[in-house]
Amino acid sequence: MKEITSYQVDLTCQLTTQEMMKLHRYVAKSKYDVYLYQNGQVADAGNFPKLLSFFLVASIMKPLVVIVDGEKPEEGYQHIKQLLIKNVKQAKIRNRHKVENDISFVI
């Protein structure tokens, strides 16, 4: 079942270009869609130029929101967390939503 889960992540320091490349490679090869959000800025982690420009304006003083979309998003987040382990001060789950079959809604 498809889910979308968001995590609030506090970073200890800015990511290096190598760490951004590792994150991008993982997302590009995985079955997940991963988005980063901070201060009204959103980046698709599967798009390296957008990911790079996102971190040029991101601040370690404010929490980063990591959104993982796909089947079993907590597994995807655990891989991401391992890639960024030395940069993460604290992380906690914010929201979790599951797609229900045969139910529709209009916004």
Side-chain angles (χ1 to χ4, degrees):
M1 178 180 300
K2 202 160 184 191
E3 297 179 45
I4 186 166
T5 304
S6 63
Y7 301 86
Q8 180 175 317
V9 178
D10 295 320
L11 298 175
T12 58
C13 58
Q14 192 69 275
L15 269 63
T16 66
T17 304
Q18 294 289 350
E19 291 164 331
M20 286 184 240
M21 288 175 63
K22 286 179 185 179
L23 174 61
H24 166 71
R25 280 190 210 117
Y26 171 73
V27 172
K29 292 179 182 180
S30 75
K31 58 185 177 183
Y32 304 104
D33 292 319
V34 177
Y35 303 95
L36 306 175
Y37 173 82
Q38 186 185 67
N39 281 349
Q41 303 291 323
V42 178
D44 177 354
N47 183 323
F48 188 69
K50 291 185 181 182
L51 182 65
L52 184 61
S53 63
F54 174 83
F55 278 109
L56 288 174
V57 297
S59 169
I60 63 167
M61 303 305 284
K62 295 183 180 178
L64 176 72
V65 177
V66 178
I67 302 162
V68 183
D69 182 20
E71 302 240 349
K72 300 180 183 174
E74 60 280 343
E75 290 177 11
Y77 177 72
Q78 291 305 317
H79 282 53
I80 292 167
K81 188 176 174 183
Q82 288 301 312
L83 291 173
L84 309 177
I85 194 78
K86 69 179 182 179
N87 297 62
V88 175
K89 180 182 351 179
Q90 160 182 319
K92 64 182 177 181
I93 194 165
R94 292 183 63 228
N95 288 308
R96 176 179 285 145
H97 300 282
K98 291 184 181 187
V99 175
E100 301 290 335
N101 293 332
D102 301 327
I103 295 176
S104 63
F105 61 93
V106 178
I107 298 176

